[in-house]
Amino acid sequence: MDFSLSEEHLMVQRMVREFAQKEISPTIREYDRKHQMHPLALPRMAELGILGICIPVRYGGQGFDYLTLALVCEELERVDTSLRVIMSVHVGLNSLALLQWGTEEQKQRFLVPQAKGERYAAYALTEPGAGSDAAAIRTTARREGDVYVLNGEKMWISLANHAHNFLIIAVTDPDARPRYRGFSAFIVQREMKGVTTGDIKGKLGVRAGSTGWISLQDVEVPVENRLGEEGEGFYIAMSCLDNGRYTVAAGATGLIRACLEESVAYANERHTFGRPLADHQLIKQKIAQMSLWYDTARLLVWRAGWLKNQGIRNTRETSMAKWYATEMSVRAALEAVQIHGAYGYSDEYNVERYLRNSKGATIYEGTSEIQQLILAGYALGQRRDKPLRCELPAYDPESWRSEARADSG
Amino acid sequence: MSGVFVWIEQFKGEPALVSWQALGVGRKLADEIGEPLIALVFGQNVGELAQKAIHYGADEALVADDQTLAAFRVEPYAALVTKLIEERSPRFMLAGATTRGRDLMGTVAGQVGAGLLSDVIGLDVIDGNLQATRPIYAGKLLSKEVAEGDFQMATIRNRAFPTPDPDESRTGTITQVEPVMAEDEITVKVEGVEEAVGEVSLTDANIIVSGGRGVGGPEGFEPVRELAEVLGGAVGASRAAVDAGWIPYAHQVGQTGKVVSPDLYIAAGISGAIQHLAGMRTSKVIVAVNKDPEAPIFSVARYGIVNDLFKVLPALTKAFKEKLGR
Amino acid sequence: MHVVVFTKSTPDTAAKVEVDANGNVTWGDSPLVVNPWDEYAAEEALQLKEKQGANTTVIAVGPEMDNDALKHCVAMGIQEAVRVWDDALEGSDSLGQAKALAAAIKKMGDVDMIITGKEAVDVNSDAVILQAARFLGWPVLSFVAKIVEIDPATGAIKVERLVEEGRETVSAKLPAVVTVVKEINEPRYPSFIGIRKAAKLKIPVWSRAESGRARSEVEAGAAKTKVLEKFPPPPREGEVEIIPSDDVEEAARILAEKLIEEKVV
């Protein structure tokens, strides 16, 4: 067993840390206050290649492994959750789905520009009436010759107002039973007629992140934009979550680290009762707990990353990492605010933002309750992974870095 | 022959203050080893400077007055210093650790193979060798170092040593020396200097008023400037303020900026990151103005005011105007 | 044109640097980084590569820890890296290291410019580069805030230097040594493609023999300066006196009086 990071991992980690600290950190508070995306977030992440970090070089990416994706997410959320959310939707939920399920032609058409950061990507499963109960979606896709006609409304979609490509799950066979066997996945482009989007305001946290809705009115989507086979939509959607949740979990470890680092700094600096806070036992306890949460969350994430690198199914392990890391990030943020006292309650310090940002992750991409049902299902033998027609490919450094085009999808 | 050399730096005939401080240190060293203190004065029309060097403690001044030496350039200066070292075999040589002093001394040390202690803040002769205290890791640590060999060199940090009082009754020998290089042998040409006008140099300043993240923007430096002006001081800044683009880099104090040591350092809206403290902790009196009573800057300060700098600085400007009658 | 960046690894500037019980300098678990000033030098070299087609190499004279700095520069885009080291250099002073550097530059043969930061933050000195310039017989353009122009045909170089009084414009002829200040540029981050290259790079180590210097010239015994002891600066004496500022005007008056009394104003 080897828990050490490679030189390459460390260099990527440092580079992304430097970017986030230097370009985002000094001004993120302002944008969070204004409910605005940081103007540098998307363009700079695109320009630097972060948006294609774990996509093979021949598909326009940077050719690093899945563990690198986690390290990048940790560094980004160390500064602000909104940065990691970009990775979750653009890479985790969308680009990796193209890598897993896409035909070679689809990879060239959609994955390459996404990995290069020329086009931004989002993922749309959730609807006003379908959250945890994903099988309840109502968006329809009716086949008419060479096109599908999509109608419906998607809600709580990150980057809805910024993305160029949307991965949309819609019902192609309303008569299928169980219902989810009648779903299919489509790559919808913003420029298609009938696509409108908007932002949702009034969120508790991730205020520098863009979350919105997508409305589809008689949108004609060519058949070649269908990802996977007809009826595979639900399986695709669930496999996307294996990757999206992984990035959420990795980001949450970054949020725990943010709480820990800033609490440690504050505890050493601030004096009460004639001693630094750090010398009080109840403060020590909080710091010890945060350290435990951070290490545990990170180990769970790294294990999931290792499985992904090996090409082994990791729904269970990813779910566990996501449940644990996000719940502990909420607790770490609560403790961080507590350690900072009244200052922690004001936006002069970062920890109040961390607290507001932490909560969403226990809800999106599968609530903590859903994760518990999944885990219990595995433990009780009620749930078993079935092989998918297309699995997420194992990380192979040679193939990931070769410039040559693959022979087939 | 023997002695202690001190290079007297000048710009357009104006001596660098640190050169007099170096003469003060040189005087002490020369007395300890019982040898003469010799000032090296190079430039054009610098005769008066040679006389001043004697007043500040030199026994002799070696003066090279030539067009090729008018503006400082390493090549002709180092060549001449090297020749004088060969002729006089001095024991030690000192200069200020300025941009020019560092260039000159580093080059000469390479040329003659001498040990060089650079940017020292303490200097003594122990068993006939120079022993120095010098900051390392940008002042986070100090290093005690010793030189060896027949000829030893040191550059001294500006304001780390007192400026001696000149004694106009002192007399000494003034000896003319000739430059070594002709203009056509010198590859480096100075085409001009664009002088920063009306600003007090940070490293020379007795008083520095600095602003940090707390000033909030370029216009936030206005009250900082006003206070600096009434005190006749220079304007400094933390890295955060420089990185944010509120003020040019030339004002940055700290590990990757200038290391300063004024009599009075007023830090406004500066939290006191370790890199900043490294650049100003040797100031004689530090005043911290910050809204956050926990800011680390207070741990190095002599006086603190926990309040909004936009209230405190104008009030201070007003108070000093009244008290100093300016 | 061949531009060589001279660098070394130093602890991160945010690191808390301390001396341990054995007198060695430690910086906790803070990472080693490229000497911060040298990042500007590497950036400038890369701009010369992009604008003038210069070949770029990065060099360090030091132990294995300097690989961090070398690899960072390669990840930024510098093409080649070399480290000069052998046990004879252990404990050497700036003169010994300068000799080793100069010898390595001579060995490369075609170098037009060595570019580096204005000083190394760990030792607070630029002695090595200045002395190496002397051993090479090259002019030094120090504290450069802008390279105004380089004529590759004639080797003429014009720069602006940051000196105490302002900005000095100086011209010289290559080959030359250039040291830079922060104002010169905004260094780029390492690129991912650069990281991939740097991570698998085996940096060649040139020993003293390969750089053609006798052991006696560079080893510790030949050093003309020695470090006796490293220690933390004495803490500043006395506690801070907080002047109550419910009435700001009054607080300002009190502070002004105190400062005038202390004769610092």
Side-chain angles (χ1 to χ4, degrees), chain B residues 268-289:
Chain B
I270 292 177
S271 68
I274 188 160
Q275 303 99 310
H276 188 77
L277 299 184
M280 44 64 81
R281 58 175 300 142
T282 55
S283 307
K284 200 165 149 201
V285 172
I286 295 169
V287 173
V289 179

Side-chain angles (χ1 to χ4, degrees), chain C residues 8-26:
Chain C
K8 73 187 296 188
S9 298
T10 59
D12 192 282
T13 52
K16 196 166 179 199
V17 180
E18 290 168 322
V19 180
D20 70 12
N22 302 320
N24 297 318
V25 177
T26 61

Side-chain angles (χ1 to χ4, degrees), chain B residues 10 24 28 113 120 134 139 160 165 195 252 303 306-307 309 311:
Chain B
Q10 53 85 20
K28 188 186 81 173
V120 308
R134 48 185 304 271
D165 292 324
E195 289 177 63
Q252 186 178 321
Y303 301 106
V306 181
N307 210 318
L309 73 97
K311 291 184 193 151

Side-chain angles (χ1 to χ4, degrees), chain B residues 99-100 103 111 113 134 137 140 142 144 146 148 189 191-192 194 252 281 283 303-304 318, chain C residues 13 122-124 134 142 164-165 167 169 171 182 224 226 228-229 231 236 241 243 249 257 262:
Chain B
T99 59
R100 300 182 184 93
D103 278 4
Q111 183 74 47
R134 48 185 304 271
Y137 297 92
K140 289 177 192 168
L142 297 177
K144 191 172 277 181
V146 64
E148 291 174 2
K189 311 285 175 198
E191 305 200 343
E194 186 190 320
Q252 186 178 321
R281 58 175 300 142
S283 307
Y303 301 106
K318 190 170 154 228
Chain C
T13 52
D122 55 351
V123 292
N124 273 49
R134 195 79 301 275
S142 58
E164 280 79 359
E165 296 79 11
R167 291 167 91 94
T169 305
S171 63
K182 196 174 160 182
K224 296 286 178 64
K226 288 205 167 66
L228 301 176
E229 183 193 1
F231 54 97
R236 287 187 68 89
E241 180 183 339
I243 298 164
E249 303 265 323
E257 269 166 28
E262 292 217 29

Side-chain angles (χ1 to χ4, degrees), chain A residues 86 89-91 93-95 98 105-124 157-168 186-192 195 197 214 216 225 227:
Chain A
I86 292 172
V89 299
H90 180 93
V91 181
L93 292 170
N94 189 311
S95 298
L98 295 177
E105 193 252 336
Q106 286 173 332
K107 286 175 190 165
Q108 293 299 335
R109 261 182 76 205
F110 303 113
L111 181 55
V112 170
Q114 285 179 199
K116 287 182 173 170
E118 294 162 359
R119 286 177 70 90
Y120 306 141
Y123 166 89
I157 308 305
S158 297
L159 298 187
N161 251 355
H162 297 266
H164 305 94
N165 298 345
F166 303 94
L167 183 59
I168 301 236
F186 299 92
I187 303 156
V188 173
Q189 295 165 281
R190 172 178 294 282
E191 52 273 27
M192 291 175 173
V195 177
T197 64
I214 306 167
L216 304 157
N225 280 31
L227 188 66

Side-chain angles (χ1 to χ4, degrees), chain A residues 163-185:
Chain A
H164 305 94
N165 298 345
F166 303 94
L167 183 59
I168 301 236
I169 311 296
V171 182
T172 39
D173 178 5
D175 302 325
R177 289 295 174 272
R179 283 198 81 236
Y180 64 80
R181 290 211 176 135
F183 296 178
S184 302

